[in-house]
């Protein structure tokens, strides 16, 4: 691995802050298996996950080798428990409105040991991560979160939302289009390469998606080592009438013990590159025999399913929640990297309490949707903290709510018209 972020030195400010607390910050040497395994075990412990087996550790070592792994050590306690904080990060393309994705700093595995929480370890790590990203020249950082109360303080704002579904398939009934392609069972080994290509194609077509690494793609295709119900995973592909692969579904069917006609089908991933593939794969699960309930999550907020069934109350959204959180580190670079669906001009006053990119900027959007952003001393039309700009950035309809809660003030209508996109952004995976 030669990515520059792997050799970028640790952030000295974070290291000094942790030193004052008697702790040591380091990058994990992933060629040292014992050190790598200790970090992976600390990460699992931090999320209350089971201790990874030897096979799971081996798989994670291989699939996570592209990540920059950071550890916080307490050298005063027994070495076996010595890693008390973890974070992993890497650079990858994030799709933004318009044709070109933007490289973003993706942050994951933020854990602090329950024995060391609420002493400022995360407060040292997160700004340190943002400084590393800024030093690498990245304009945006992003993460998916375990709790929505944590990351706003460091300038992240929720920028995509995801829906979860519970469907009573027999009562829902299918009225969607008849599709003319072919469904067939396949296996991860047979289909891995094609499914990875389909994931890339699906995700490139929508703002808010990231380029999945092998690890993240694998989780949508096959059970990782140690996954519950791994032997129940099924993989079905959908090929169009010409035999061209257009999508796939990974799912698990459980239950049925007390009533064999009442199994539950959980969708692990439903990946489609065409509306036909989306319809064909939904129809496949809605018409599955012996299934009384279908569940899905991390779907977009505009999932067309209710329009594809006879009784739309039988395809219920059980929740819509914040999913991707975005942190802008360079306002001009980030805003110029996306396209806009409406032309116009606005002066934004952006407050960044961590000092990465605050200031006053004029955003000029041309008729073709491209933008120019310059620092200005003109009067501001609209003011907001950097977290609000992160929420607007990918095109979500966030401006009215942010204004209602006092997190944007001024010409909210223009900011909404400029930033919002007709199609809501979506992130269809966790990372
Ligand atoms: C991108 C991801 O990886 S998301 C996953 C986040 N990790 C988890 O959920 C695993 C379980 N939780 C943890 O490991 C830890 O509690 C962490 C990482 C969330 C926080 O680590 P800590 O070192 O305890 O945080 P720290 O002491 O620096 O607190 C920072 C601030 O966040 C607040 N905070 C910390 N955890 C939480 C929380 N779970 N919910 C709300 N606020 C929190 C603290 O009160 C503090 O607030 P302040 O700035 O107003 O004083």
């Amino acid at each position: 691995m030669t990515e520059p972020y792997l050799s970028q030195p640790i952030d000295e400010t974070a290291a000094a802050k942790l030193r004052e607390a008697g702790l040591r910050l380091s990058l994990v040497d992933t060629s040292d298996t014992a050190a790598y395994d200790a970090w992976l075990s600390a990460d699992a412990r931090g999320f209350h996950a089971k201790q990874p087996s030897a096979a799971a550790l081996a798989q994670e070592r291989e699939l996570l080798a592209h990540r920059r792994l950071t550890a916080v050590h307490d050298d005063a306690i027994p070495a076996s428990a010595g890693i008390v904080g973890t974070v992993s990060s890497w650079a990858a393309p994030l799709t933004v409105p318009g044709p070109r994705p933007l490289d973003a700093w993706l942050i994951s595995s933020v854990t602090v040991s329950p024995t060391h929480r609420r002493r400022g370890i995360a407060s040292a790590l997160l700004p340190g991560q943002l400084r590393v990203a800024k030093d690498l020249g990245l304009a945006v950082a992003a993460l998916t979160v375990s709790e929505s109360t944590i990351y706003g303080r460091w300038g992240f704002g929720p920028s995509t939302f995801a829906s979860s579904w519970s469907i009573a398939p027999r009562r829902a009934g299918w009225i969607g289009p008849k599709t003319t392609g072919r469904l067939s069972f396949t296996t991860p080994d047979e289909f891995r390469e094609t499914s990875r290509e389909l994931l890339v194609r699906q995700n490139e077509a929508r703002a808010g998606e990231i380029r999945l690494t092998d690890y993240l793609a694998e989780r949508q295709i096959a059970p990782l080592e140690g996954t519950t119900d791994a032997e129940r995973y099924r993989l079905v592909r959908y090929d169009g009438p010409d035999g061209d692969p257009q999508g796939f579904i990974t799912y698990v069917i459980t239950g049925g013990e007390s009533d064999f006609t009442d199994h539950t089908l959980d969708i692990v991933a439903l990946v489609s590159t065409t509306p036909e593939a989306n319809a064909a794969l939904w129809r496949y699960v809605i018409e599955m025999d012996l299934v009384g309930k279908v569940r899905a999550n991390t779907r977009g907020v505009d999932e067309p399913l209710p329009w594809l069934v006879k009784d739309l109350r039988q395809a219920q959204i059980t929740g819509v929640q914040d999913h991707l959180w975005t942190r802008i580190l360079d306002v001009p670079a980030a805003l110029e990297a996306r396209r806009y669906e409406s032309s116009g001009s606005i002066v934004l006053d952006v407050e960044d309490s961590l000092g990465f990119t605050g200031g006053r900027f004029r955003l000029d959007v041309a008729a073709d949707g491209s933008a120019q952003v310059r620092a200005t001393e003109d009067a501001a039309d609209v003011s907001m903290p950097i977290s609000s700009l992160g929420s607007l950035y990918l095109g979500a309809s966030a401006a009215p709510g942010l204004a209602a809660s006092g997190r944007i003030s001024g010409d909210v209508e223009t900011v909404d018209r400029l930033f919002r996109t007709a199609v809501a952004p979506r992130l269809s995976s966790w990372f």
Side-chain angles (χ1 to χ4, degrees), residues 46-47 107-112 116-124 143-147 149-151 153-154:
F47 284 116
I107 301 170
S108 183
S109 296
V110 177
T111 74
V112 170
H116 286 64
R117 280 187 189 153
R118 305 301 183 270
R119 299 187 204 170
I121 294 179
S123 301
L143 36 73
T144 54
V145 306
S146 56
E147 294 186 75
T149 44
I150 301 172
Y151 293 96
R153 60 175 47 76
W154 297 301

Side-chain angles (χ1 to χ4, degrees), residues 211-273:
R211 173 70 70 95
L212 299 180
T213 57
D214 289 352
Y215 174 74
L216 297 173
E218 189 65 17
R219 293 200 308 196
Q220 306 218 18
I221 302 164
L224 294 178
E225 289 290 343
T227 300
T228 309
D229 287 324
E231 59 289 344
R232 293 180 184 274
Y233 268 55
R234 300 278 186 262
L235 180 58
V236 167
R237 62 187 285 172
Y238 175 76
D239 300 321
D242 302 332
D244 50 318
Q246 293 187 5
F248 67 91
I249 184 167
T250 317
Y251 63 91
V252 174
I253 297 182
T254 53
E257 291 87 2
S258 55
D259 177 351
F260 198 65
T261 65
D262 195 24
H263 290 77
T264 296
L265 187 157
D266 281 293
I267 297 176
V268 176
L270 190 161
V271 174
S272 55
T273 59

Side-chain angles (χ1 to χ4, degrees), residues 113-347:
S113 168
T115 55
H116 286 64
R117 280 187 189 153
R118 305 301 183 270
R119 299 187 204 170
I121 294 179
S123 301
L125 287 176
L126 264 297
Q129 283 292 315
L130 298 179
R131 282 188 292 269
V132 169
K134 184 89 180 171
D135 290 348
L136 288 163
L138 298 165
V140 168
L143 36 73
T144 54
V145 306
S146 56
E147 294 186 75
S148 58
T149 44
I150 301 172
Y151 293 96
R153 60 175 47 76
W154 297 301
F156 290 85
S159 56
T160 78
F161 288 78
S163 59
S164 304
W165 295 77
S166 177
I167 303 145
R170 279 189 286 266
R171 291 172 65 199
W174 185 259
I175 54 158
K178 286 203 174 18
T179 50
T180 51
R182 219 176 25 238
L183 292 160
S184 56
F185 280 102
T186 181
T187 64
D189 283 347
E190 193 175 81
F191 194 58
R192 184 167 283 108
E193 210 176 304
T194 309
S195 55
R196 285 181 183 175
E197 285 164 18
L198 289 168
L199 282 163
V200 170
R201 266 165 53 201
Q202 171 190 260
N203 293 354
E204 279 178 352
R206 188 81 178 251
E209 298 277 8
I210 58 163
R211 173 70 70 95
L212 299 180
T213 57
D214 289 352
Y215 174 74
L216 297 173
E218 189 65 17
R219 293 200 308 196
Q220 306 218 18
I221 302 164
L224 294 178
E225 289 290 343
T227 300
T228 309
D229 287 324
E231 59 289 344
R232 293 180 184 274
Y233 268 55
R234 300 278 186 262
L235 180 58
V236 167
R237 62 187 285 172
Y238 175 76
D239 300 321
D242 302 332
D244 50 318
Q246 293 187 5
F248 67 91
I249 184 167
T250 317
Y251 63 91
V252 174
I253 297 182
T254 53
E257 291 87 2
S258 55
D259 177 351
F260 198 65
T261 65
D262 195 24
H263 290 77
T264 296
L265 187 157
D266 281 293
I267 297 176
V268 176
L270 190 161
V271 174
S272 55
T273 59
T274 61
E276 291 73 29
N278 196 52
L281 293 165
W282 272 120
R283 181 176 190 173
Y284 174 71
V285 294
I286 299 277
E287 294 189 339
M288 184 75 72
D289 289 336
L290 308 178
V291 167
K293 187 193 266 191
V294 174
R295 293 187 296 212
N297 54 42
T298 52
R299 306 301 301 168
V301 289
D302 58 353
E303 175 63 59
L305 180 63
W307 306 102
L308 301 175
V309 293
K310 249 191 305 248
D311 182 351
L312 54 81
R313 289 194 190 170
Q314 305 307 325
Q316 291 212 330
I317 293 185
T318 51
V320 171
Q321 76 177 30
D322 56 287
H323 193 35
L324 186 72
W325 286 61
T326 302
R327 204 303 176 189
I328 292 180
L329 295 164
D330 181 333
V331 170
L335 298 196
E336 286 184 358
R338 62 159 280 188
R339 290 296 183 101
Y340 300 78
E341 295 177 359
S342 175
S343 59
S345 184
I346 195 166
V347 176

